[in-house]
Amino acid sequence: MKPPAPYNEPVRGYAPGTPERESLSRRLDQMAAEVVEIPMVIGGEDRRTGSTFPAVMPHDHAHVLGTVHQGGEAEMADAVEAAERARPEWSSAPWEDRAAVFLRAADLLAGSWRDTVNAATMLGQSKTAQQAEIDAACELCDFLRFNVDYMLRIYEEQPLSPPGAWNRMDYRPLEGFVLAVTPFNFTSIAGNLPSSAALMGNTVVWKPSQTAALSAHHLMRMLRAAGLPDGVINLVQGDPASMVASALADHRLAGVHFTGSTTVFRGIWRQVGEQIDRYRNYPRLVGETGGKDFILAHASAEVPALATAILRGSFEYQGQKCSAASRVYVPRSLWPELRERLGDEVPGIAMGDVRDFSNFMGAVIDRRSFERQRAAIEEARGDGYEVLAGGGTDDSRGWFVRPTVIVAQDPDARLLRDELFGPVVTIHVYADGGFEDAVELVDRTSPYGLTGGVFATDREAIRLAENRLRYSAGNFYINDKPTGAVVGQQPFGGARASGTDDKAGSLWNLTRWVSPRAIKETFDPPREYRHPYQG
Ligand code: NAD
């Protein structure tokens, strides 16, 4: 049996006057006018606890979109039991049945659910229409469709069978439940982490980010509409540290599929390590974490392309992409022109409520992020830095931080090293002729290794950067911004402090959710124990 071939979901433009814009605007108005009740979903049943927190709009934080019911240890224990109850049937279901659920989900998302999931992402996570479209609609459709193809490529990988025997690999789902812990910044990742493990036959407990509760709620409804059986994915909400800790304490934990910050993932790894004697299996730990992603310009770079990469790569979705460019290295010879371009463009970047389609940026996700950006900008007003553009902050209505360009004299400055996860980019100008030293700087300055790009027209410079920066980025770009990886085209993930580099949306990731069994069947077994040489 062959499922439909995967393809990248075409990105809609939402230009003025188009039917897609009208339809999305209508859905935005409807969803902004209601306050939905957001239950957990355990064993296929809605679970309300009465203990709630609000889901708000980051760009209008007094506006409540939903009331989220949260659980504690008891709900987490129920979710684990529900996943375990569903496991025997789901793990032995034919792959066609599992694939059909997620392929149907992809088509629902591309069609009748598109506006709802996009609008939830815009309102709840402050993405513009374009940023929601490439994430919540297109990338998630791509994950759902391409993963089916990757699953079959894994299944096709079979050992040699010489005459007289049939050797085969049985790609068993893991023996236990998978815990998916997902970040706020990509609805596609929130959907992919539980569904990729489930596609491979696992049952899952899913704990989404508290600041993406609205889109998680609609994704869960959509998966159920696609026919996902009860208990295969169980959605829980609540205090992250205690809920995750109670799942990690269960001896049936078979894997953790995590995306989020480095600190949290290290905490999860540590807890698993400390409890290693308790588990039935060694839990698979897959984590995609933080980044301090670079753009390195060579003297031969084209400045307009470089400036555009910085503007888009650093400021789209308010710099809240793990892949966002947040440190830039430029030779002195190019600096006057680049400085002028950024100085001209940045103040004009439109920012505001994402329902106004003329905006390029919305607000940062929450008060904590707002304060982190504000503190960094304050720091940059001190010695050793210059705030070249932006720097304004305003939390009166939403958590707004103007796109900000900082220049750091010291190549080891904190703002060139630490992830800020906001619309703040720091530039270091290096001496002409110092490209090789700049390459070394890029490699050693930050503990991360997620994404990065080199801008140059000189082939030797490109070759040098590509070779020397081999471990500095898991996704390396040449004359392109370091964001915007597409499923099936640039498998995504990095190493060092950026994660386990299992490449989301690829067969390398899916191999982590199976435990292969090798089977040998002998057709005509020997019936004599003595060997011929003994004759
Ligand atoms: P986060 O680490 O704050 O949260 C991620 C998830 O972990 C959420 O579900 C959260 O509720 C949970 N969590 C928070 N504290 C926890 C704790 N103490 N114990 C257990 N779980 C806990 O991250 P975020 O703010 O949602 O996302 C931003 C981070 O994610 C950035 O560092 C970014 O670089 C990273 N990220 C990485 C990738 C990638 O592919 N490498 C993709 C997206 C985001």
Side-chain angles (χ1 to χ4, degrees):
M1 262 172 282
K2 242 184 155 167
Y7 59 93
N8 290 119
E9 178 63 24
V11 179
R12 293 183 179 170
Y14 298 96
T18 53
E20 70 235 28
R21 177 153 162 157
E22 228 167 80
S23 161
L24 178 60
S25 301
R26 253 197 319 274
R27 195 70 186 110
L28 282 166
D29 289 345
Q30 283 167 355
M31 286 171 66
E34 61 190 23
V35 181
V36 288
E37 227 195 319
I38 301 181
M40 294 176 282
V41 181
I42 299 175
E45 287 185 359
D46 289 354
R47 180 73 74 88
R48 295 176 179 79
T49 55
S51 161
T52 61
F53 63 88
V56 301
M57 286 188 194
H59 43 271
D60 184 1
H61 42 54
H63 189 135
V64 176
L65 296 160
T67 307
V68 189
H69 288 261
Q70 55 183 342
E73 276 177 33
E75 285 72 21
M76 184 51 103
D78 289 351
V80 170
E81 289 310 325
E84 283 294 298
R85 266 198 312 281
R87 195 157 64 80
E89 200 171 326
W90 182 248
S91 65
S92 54
W95 68 257
E96 307 89 273
D97 288 347
R98 289 184 266 122
V101 169
F102 295 107
L103 290 173
R104 177 165 153 77
D107 275 22
L108 294 181
L109 179 56
S112 54
W113 283 78
R114 193 179 198 119
D115 286 342
T116 299
V117 177
N118 272 342
T121 303
M122 291 175 70
L123 297 172
Q125 290 139 264
S126 205
K127 289 206 172 191
T128 60
Q130 194 254 351
Q131 290 297 307
E133 168 75 5
I134 58 172
D135 160 25
C138 298
E139 187 169 56
L140 185 50
C141 282
D142 293 355
F143 278 134
L144 293 166
R145 293 181 181 134
F146 278 86
N147 279 343
V148 170
D149 187 58
Y150 299 138
M151 172 180 73
L152 293 185
R153 279 161 63 180
I154 292 172
Y155 290 173
E156 274 166 20
E157 182 61 37
Q158 291 292 328
L160 213 70
S161 295
W166 183 5
N167 294 320
R168 36 191 202 265
M169 289 292 263
D170 166 18
Y171 290 98
R172 303 174 299 184
L174 304 182
E175 191 188 16
F177 71 95
V178 172
L179 174 68
V181 183
T182 60
F184 79 84
N185 67 333
F186 274 92
T187 300
S188 60
I189 298 177
N192 182 48
L193 300 198
S195 62
S196 53
L199 173 69
M200 301 309 284
N202 298 282
T203 52
V204 180
V205 174
W206 172 27
K207 203 220 69 65
S209 167
Q210 284 162 299
T211 43
L214 184 68
S215 57
H217 166 66
H218 289 294
L219 283 184
M220 192 68 206
R221 288 176 55 235
M222 184 188 81
L223 287 169
R224 294 171 80 186
L228 186 75
D230 294 348
V232 172
I233 294 176
N234 302 278
L235 169 64
V236 293
Q237 303 271 7
D239 171 61
S242 60
M243 285 204 101
V244 168
S246 72
L248 299 181
D250 194 293
H251 72 284
R252 295 162 294 184
L253 178 77
V256 178
H257 205 185
F258 176 85
T259 297
S261 58
T262 300
T263 314
V264 170
F265 186 55
R266 286 181 175 166
I268 288 175
W269 195 295
R270 203 169 289 124
Q271 289 176 64
V272 168
E274 279 162 5
Q275 303 181 87
I276 199 68
D277 293 333
R278 166 181 298 209
Y279 304 117
R280 180 167 50 198
N281 289 280
Y282 295 100
R284 303 280 170 93
L285 301 180
V286 174
E288 294 302 331
T289 59
K292 186 73 182 176
D293 309 298
F294 61 86
I295 290 179
L296 167 63
H298 179 255
S300 65
E302 290 171 6
V303 175
L306 175 63
T308 302
I310 296 170
L311 293 168
R312 288 187 171 172
S314 303
F315 301 139
E316 279 179 337
Y317 192 37
Q318 298 80 266
Q320 299 173 118
K321 299 187 184 188
C322 46
S323 55
S326 55
R327 55 187 179 122
V328 178
Y329 300 80
V330 196
R332 188 152 301 285
S333 59
L334 300 187
W335 179 230
E337 189 186 342
L338 181 67
R339 184 187 172 96
E340 196 183 323
R341 275 181 185 269
L342 295 177
D344 285 351
E345 296 279 11
V346 172
I349 291 177
M351 185 176 79
D353 192 320
V354 290
R355 285 171 291 179
D356 174 350
F357 281 40
S358 65
N359 284 321
F360 182 80
M361 289 171 61
V364 298
I365 193 71
D366 58 12
R367 172 158 306 284
R368 210 168 58 126
S369 173
F370 177 83
E371 296 297 352
R372 188 168 59 240
Q373 311 313 320
R374 189 153 71 175
I377 293 165
E378 240 359 88
E379 186 178 336
R381 297 198 200 281
D383 285 352
Y385 293 107
E386 177 201 350
V387 178
L388 172 66
T393 57
D394 180 358
D395 62 350
S396 52
R397 189 178 169 92
W399 291 296
F400 287 107
V401 177
R402 285 294 311 167
T404 301
V405 181
I406 293 167
V407 186
Q409 285 150 22
D410 178 2
D412 291 312
R414 183 185 88 81
L415 299 183
L416 286 164
R417 223 176 44 227
D418 293 353
E419 184 181 50
L420 299 172
F421 218 58
V424 177
V425 61
T426 307
I427 297 181
H428 175 70
V429 181
Y430 65 85
D432 287 330
F435 184 67
E436 282 198 45
D437 293 342
V439 168
E440 293 308 316
L441 261 182
V442 166
D443 186 53
R444 74 166 164 78
T445 307
S446 142
Y448 298 105
L450 194 52
T451 76
V454 61
F455 276 76
T457 49
D458 178 329
R459 201 69 222 172
E460 248 177 68
I462 294 172
R463 169 70 33 229
L464 187 126
E466 190 180 328
N467 288 343
R468 300 254 186 101
L469 299 176
R470 192 162 182 217
Y471 288 93
S472 318
N475 285 70
F476 186 71
Y477 294 81
I478 299 166
N479 290 318
D480 206 340
K481 64 183 169 56
T483 59
V486 175
V487 179
Q489 298 187 30
Q490 298 94 20
F492 189 80
R496 293 188 178 167
S498 292
T500 52
D501 199 15
D502 287 293
K503 298 287 186 226
S506 77
L507 61 79
W508 296 283
N509 178 285
L510 297 189
T511 58
R512 304 300 310 273
W513 310 119
V514 289
S515 172
R517 172 171 69 143
I519 300 174
K520 177 186 178 190
E521 178 170 353
T522 300
F523 296 133
D524 188 10
R527 290 169 184 85
E528 162 63 58
Y529 86 91
R530 276 176 292 259
H531 290 286
Y533 75 89
Q534 294 176 279

